[in-house]
Amino acid sequence: MGQSAICSDSTRHFPTMVSRRISVLLVLHDTESATAIRKILGNGYTLSGHQPTRFCVTQTTRLDDAIAVLKQDRFTLVLVEPNLPDACGWAAVHRIQAVAPNTPIIALTAEENEITALQAIRAGAQDCLSRQEFGSPRLIPAMLRAVERERSRTRLRHRVQTLEAAHVRLESKAAELAHRNTELNRINHELEQFTYVASHDLKEPLRGIHAYCDLLGEDYRSVLDQEGQRRLGKIDDLCCRLENLISDLLTYCRVGSVKPVTANVSLDTVVANVLDMLRPSISGKKEVRVHGPLPGVCGDETLLTLAIGNLVSNGLKFNRSERPTVEIGTVTGSEPTLYVRDNGIGIEPRYHEAIFAMFRRLHSRKEYEGSGAGLSIVQRIIKSLGGRVWLDSEPSRGATFYLTLPPATPSAVLAPPHWLKSGHVVNAH
């Protein structure tokens, strides 16, 4: 086989080899074998399309001399025979590895033997060549494969080290974030507890002020002129408004302070509870239409009643139509989606996010009563149950609020109340 044929075949084994100079440490006591190796390496090697590869050979006949040379200089490759005057067996490979751990080693044995080759590989050699191959065309490809394999291992080690360092940094960041999250949860819990206690304690003096206003109105009405009576009434109204604000704040804190215990809930039952609760306020021409049956969901019946009740109440309150109407139904989709649609005053798109802020109002209290906390409570309830809430609305075209919730388990059979049927209407009659 000619050299050109060797080059063509070798490109399949190490196409990325671009080194122009390979330093070789030859640790060989056999003079004849050393001469054959130095001769073939002295001719160099050329891969098609690459720069010629030159070999710089340093030879020693003893292991101690080889160790001394390795401590002074770096080599690309080491060729070593197992039996040297000062080393027997594979001790030479072990000692070379200890001094130059990242330098590939090829073992040179007296004769071809599978057991000997396996022992060499287990000792740490990259490859094992017999005496018949020392001066053959197979020598250089074997050397280049060993060098490229070690370079691949070095790149892999570097990548592994980089990934390990990144993993350590990520673990450190994760631990730091977990600590901060714990602290943040503790602070939030303390703030909610403080808000709850403070709000609860504020209610007591308010009740006292309200009671004294009633007493003054009863006992001193004849003494006060019209302006005095008006101012006394104003104080009483302000007390009522502040008490309502505190009540809404307490509700908001209760919803967020404890994770709700969820179970399978029928939205038909929830809507029935809402209609029972709001029946006294659905007076005159106001009406609520239910397009059922409604699906079962995984949630909390009490919280859902509060959330949907707020939406229905808002739909009837923020309404100037001759016949205020609220419709409740579901949207077909991958998850249960309830809609609450009204024919009220509507909301400008630019306020669709802002209306969910706590105590955010778009109208004065003279136009519409309320604290502005209702939609904040709705959003917090739905989020705590694993759902989301959004709306579609424009001024004078009403508003449609959508609520998504986790579905009930397939095994649950949730029957609606006997009186709540598709198209059911609740009004003053």
Side-chain angles (χ1 to χ4, degrees):
M1 181 181 297
Q3 187 172 347
S4 60
I6 296 172
C7 294
S8 175
D9 177 70
S10 62
T11 58
R12 295 197 300 268
H13 298 288
F14 34 85
T16 60
M17 175 62 66
V18 294
S19 178
R20 297 172 58 184
R21 180 178 180 277
I22 294 179
S23 58
V24 181
L25 176 60
L26 180 60
V27 188
L28 190 62
H29 187 259
D30 183 358
T31 305
E32 183 180 346
S33 298
T35 301
I37 291 173
R38 293 178 70 94
K39 181 178 179 181
I40 196 170
L41 295 182
N43 295 328
Y45 194 77
T46 303
L47 287 171
S48 178
H50 290 73
Q51 294 288 341
T53 300
R54 303 297 180 187
F55 297 94
C56 179
V57 182
T58 301
Q59 182 185 353
T60 66
T61 59
R62 297 173 59 85
L63 179 60
D64 288 342
D65 296 337
I67 297 299
V69 172
L70 284 170
K71 289 181 178 179
Q72 293 180 357
D73 299 314
R74 295 180 63 182
F75 290 85
T76 312
L77 181 71
V78 176
L79 303 178
V80 60
E81 65 174 330
N83 295 313
L84 296 166
D86 55 346
C88 184
W90 301 112
V93 175
H94 292 306
R95 288 187 61 186
I96 290 172
Q97 274 191 323
V99 177
N102 297 325
T103 303
I105 301 171
I106 293 181
L108 307 174
T109 59
E111 54 188 43
E112 188 173 357
N113 186 299
E114 290 185 2
I115 296 178
T116 302
L118 182 61
Q119 290 174 343
I121 299 300
R122 287 178 174 174
Q126 291 272 6
D127 204 346
C128 182
L129 299 177
S130 64
R131 187 185 300 275
Q132 291 78 10
E133 298 172 306
F134 288 0
S136 74
R138 294 179 57 187
L139 174 64
I140 292 179
M143 293 170 61
L144 296 178
R145 280 194 299 269
V147 172
E148 182 62 20
R149 192 181 300 119
E150 184 58 37
R151 286 179 176 175
S152 298
R153 289 181 179 178
T154 301
R155 288 193 294 268
L156 181 60
R157 281 194 298 267
H158 177 70
R159 290 177 182 175
V160 169
Q161 291 171 355
T162 303
L163 289 174
E164 288 177 345
H167 181 67
V168 170
R169 290 195 298 271
L170 285 175
E171 285 187 333
S172 176
K173 289 292 184 183
E176 182 181 351
L177 287 174
H179 175 70
R180 290 185 178 182
N181 186 55
T182 301
E183 284 296 301
L184 184 60
N185 287 335
R186 181 186 62 80
I187 293 171
N188 284 338
H189 179 70
E190 289 178 356
L191 285 173
E192 287 171 348
Q193 289 295 108
F194 171 78
T195 304
Y196 178 81
V197 173
S199 301
H200 184 272
D201 290 345
L202 284 173
K203 275 193 169 186
E204 290 303 319
L206 275 176
R207 292 194 186 101
I209 296 172
H210 185 71
Y212 272 106
C213 287
D214 288 342
L215 291 174
L216 285 171
E218 293 175 3
D219 298 343
Y220 296 91
R221 187 176 301 276
S222 60
V223 178
L224 295 172
D225 58 11
Q226 186 175 1
E227 179 63 18
Q229 292 180 16
R230 188 190 66 81
R231 292 181 180 181
L232 184 60
K234 188 66 173 178
I235 293 173
D236 193 45
D237 289 341
L238 290 173
C239 287
C240 292
R241 188 189 303 173
L242 185 54
E243 190 170 0
N244 289 334
L245 284 171
I246 293 172
S247 296
D248 288 338
L249 184 59
L250 284 173
T251 302
Y252 185 81
C253 291
R254 287 193 187 101
V255 171
S257 60
V258 180
K259 184 176 178 60
V261 178
T262 58
N264 290 323
V265 177
S266 168
L267 286 180
D268 284 313
T269 301
V270 171
V271 171
N273 295 337
V274 170
L275 298 182
D276 275 341
M277 179 177 64
L278 297 179
R279 193 179 297 272
S281 64
I282 305 176
S283 58
K285 295 182 179 181
K286 297 178 181 179
E287 67 178 27
V288 177
R289 298 181 177 274
V290 181
H291 304 283
L294 304 178
V297 297
C298 183
D300 181 284
E301 185 174 322
T302 302
L303 292 178
L304 286 173
T305 300
L306 177 60
I308 297 173
N310 266 321
L311 294 179
V312 174
S313 178
N314 282 352
L316 295 174
K317 180 172 66 173
F318 295 95
N319 204 310
R320 296 172 184 165
S321 63
E322 293 182 0
R323 191 172 187 84
T325 303
V326 172
E327 297 182 23
I328 302 173
T330 54
V331 178
T332 303
S334 58
E335 55 185 349
T337 303
L338 184 80
Y339 68 80
V340 180
R341 179 179 298 123
D342 64 63
N343 61 345
I345 61 175
I347 303 170
E348 291 185 38
R350 60 176 174 157
Y351 295 124
H352 286 188
E353 295 284 341
I355 59 171
F356 291 104
M358 191 65 175
F359 300 133
R360 179 62 187 269
R361 297 177 57 90
L362 302 182
H363 308 278
S364 68
R365 289 185 176 85
K366 291 182 179 180
E367 292 180 283
Y368 300 101
E369 295 180 353
S371 65
L375 290 178
S376 300
I377 294 171
V378 170
Q379 186 182 60
R380 199 167 205 193
I381 288 174
I382 300 305
K383 281 188 175 181
S384 71
L385 296 175
R388 59 193 183 96
V389 56
W390 73 98
L391 76 152
D392 180 17
S393 179
E394 291 183 9
S396 303
R397 294 188 178 182
T400 302
F401 286 83
Y402 296 93
L403 312 175
T404 62
L405 292 161
T409 57
S411 59
V413 179
L414 304 170
H418 68 279
W419 57 269
L420 188 64
K421 302 176 182 178
S422 179
H424 184 80
V425 178
V426 175
N427 53 30
H429 309 291

